[in-house]
Amino acid sequence: MGARAAALLLLLRACGLLWASTVDHDYGGVPIWIDRLLGEPSVLSLRGRMDRGYQAAEDLDCPEECDCPVQWPSALYCDQRGLDSPPASLPPGTQYLFLQDNNISSLATHTFSNATQIRWLFLDRNRLLSPGLAASTLANLTQLENLFMNHNQLSEVPLGLPQGLKQLRLAHNLIARIPPGALQDLPQLSLLLLQGNRLKSLGEAAFRGLSSVVLLDLSHNLLEEFPKHLPPSVQQLYLSHNAVRSLSRDSLRGFHSLRYLRLSHNRLHSPALPPAALNLSSLVELDLSYNQLTSTPVVPTSLLHLYLEANLIHEFNVSSFCRTVGPMDYSHLRILRLDGNKMGPHQLPPDWSMCLRVLHHLYI
């Protein structure tokens, strides 16, 4: 690299153009990528705030119970104020509204009538109840893209969600039901967090119409069966900490984009896993740890990471990883965890290393 190019690279770094995105971990457990060049706010509400006593002249409509930073004129910070309801009058230019860590239990239908340009709405850690949330309250927010309602007391997925929604975070509520049609008209929704709720079963229409969901988190619920009729677009499916006992040979049929599947801390046992149940060529990572498996399951040869620790496995079958073994036929596994089972290294069959010839890490 020449001196001129090196100087340009140094300048770009100094200006932050190479590192325009940073990551914050929100309370739903999935990171948020913040594009600083677009001026997206940090999830951490204290970052970027300023002295309350220094307000711009045009911020005279800032509600008394909130902060309106000059450097972020479209952001309104009303978090951690002990509020029972949002401010009565919201500035019409508000695009980022922070209301987390309050005591809000309901939202009146007119709550956002004066601020219909809201794109990010944070309502984490309040006391929201489903009866206190009318369908029309959120439907008027036609620009809303990211809705945070983690750690509330909702008993069902809200109705009347705006069609432009891209992220819906409902983790750690009391949700036991997804009303038919609640998620139907959300063609742009790519991330749906429902972990830490009370879902025991999912109806056929629960996810109907979701065509863009990439990440679906249903972990820490009460599901006893592998859910059917999931969005076929999903790439990351998290079902850990449920009570799933089995998979059928068709459970993953049609999921041509699925790359990460987590089924740890369930009740899976080997007879309830047909050989074709997990043989999905798109899978990159499969987590079956902390179940009741007694033998290694059949997995695709293209799989890279397989976690089987803390089961009851005492039988290692090379055919689980390789249908045949030859110069061009081998497993692509890089990481295999078998620790915490009922077998040791001396029980591995002689030809295991030929099948798992590119393995980097084996824990047993």
Side-chain angles (χ1 to χ4, degrees), residues 154-331:
L154 299 173
S155 56
E156 60 182 35
V157 172
L159 294 170
L161 296 170
Q163 293 186 3
L165 210 58
K166 295 180 179 179
Q167 295 189 31
L168 177 58
R169 305 189 180 222
L170 298 169
H172 306 292
N173 277 272
L174 306 173
I175 295 174
R177 177 174 175 266
I178 301 178
L183 302 171
Q184 186 166 350
D185 297 319
L186 303 175
Q188 300 183 58
L189 191 69
S190 62
L191 184 146
L192 176 56
L193 301 188
L194 286 165
Q195 71 266 33
N197 280 287
R198 298 183 177 180
L199 291 167
K200 194 170 185 178
S201 63
L202 296 166
E204 182 176 346
F207 301 109
R208 182 176 296 166
L210 295 180
S211 57
S212 302
V213 171
V214 172
L215 191 156
L216 175 59
D217 196 336
L218 293 166
S219 58
H220 291 274
N221 274 281
L222 305 173
L223 298 171
E224 297 180 353
E225 297 182 355
F226 191 91
K228 301 178 181 179
H229 312 291
L230 296 175
S233 59
V234 68
Q235 296 180 23
Q236 301 175 56
L237 178 58
Y238 303 150
L239 287 162
S240 301
H241 292 274
N242 277 282
V244 178
R245 296 178 180 274
S246 64
L247 273 74
S248 73
R249 59 182 296 120
D250 297 324
S251 291
L252 299 181
R253 179 170 291 181
F255 292 94
H256 304 299
S257 301
L258 186 60
R259 297 175 61 81
Y260 302 91
L261 176 59
R262 296 180 183 173
L263 278 162
S264 67
H265 295 89
N266 276 277
R267 300 178 184 176
L268 294 169
H269 51 100
S270 293
L273 281 181
L278 297 167
N279 197 15
L280 187 66
S281 60
S282 62
L283 278 180
V284 171
E285 179 178 291
L286 176 61
D287 187 355
L288 297 171
S289 60
Y290 294 90
N291 277 281
Q292 300 169 23
L293 303 177
T294 53
S295 61
T296 52
V298 175
V299 296
T301 58
S302 54
L303 193 67
L304 298 182
H305 302 154
L306 176 60
Y307 304 101
L308 294 170
E309 69 268 25
N311 275 276
L312 305 173
I313 295 174
H314 58 80
E315 182 181 1
F316 184 100
N317 297 314
V318 173
S319 59
S320 296
F321 311 100
C322 295
R323 312 305 166 253
T324 59
V325 179
M328 302 300 294
D329 300 310
Y330 57 91
S331 169

Side-chain angles (χ1 to χ4, degrees), residues 133-155:
L133 190 59
S136 58
T137 303
L138 296 171
N140 295 328
L141 296 177
T142 57
Q143 304 300 312
L144 189 63
E145 296 179 352
N146 305 283
L147 177 57
F148 293 69
M149 288 183 164
N150 302 312
H151 295 281
N152 278 278
Q153 299 174 29
L154 299 173
S155 56

Side-chain angles (χ1 to χ4, degrees), residues 77-138:
Y77 290 97
C78 312
D79 55 308
Q80 304 179 56
R81 306 302 170 97
L83 301 178
D84 295 322
S85 61
S89 180
L90 297 171
T94 302
Q95 295 185 36
Y96 309 97
L97 180 56
F98 294 82
L99 286 166
Q100 67 267 32
D101 294 292
N102 281 294
N103 299 315
I104 300 171
S105 59
S106 63
L107 298 174
T109 55
H110 61 274
T111 299
F112 307 111
S113 59
N114 195 44
T116 58
Q117 302 301 310
I118 294 175
R119 294 177 53 227
W120 293 65
L121 177 56
F122 296 86
L123 285 159
D124 290 343
R125 294 181 306 280
N126 275 278
R127 300 179 181 178
L128 286 171
L129 301 167
S130 290
L133 190 59
S136 58
T137 303
L138 296 171

Side-chain angles (χ1 to χ4, degrees), residues 8-23 33-40 47:
L8 178 58
L9 181 61
L10 181 61
L11 177 62
L12 289 174
R13 288 182 184 273
C15 294
L17 296 180
L18 292 183
W19 305 101
S21 294
T22 58
V23 61
W33 290 96
I34 306 299
D35 192 331
R36 300 300 182 194
L37 295 180
L38 293 179
E40 301 286 26
R47 185 178 299 175

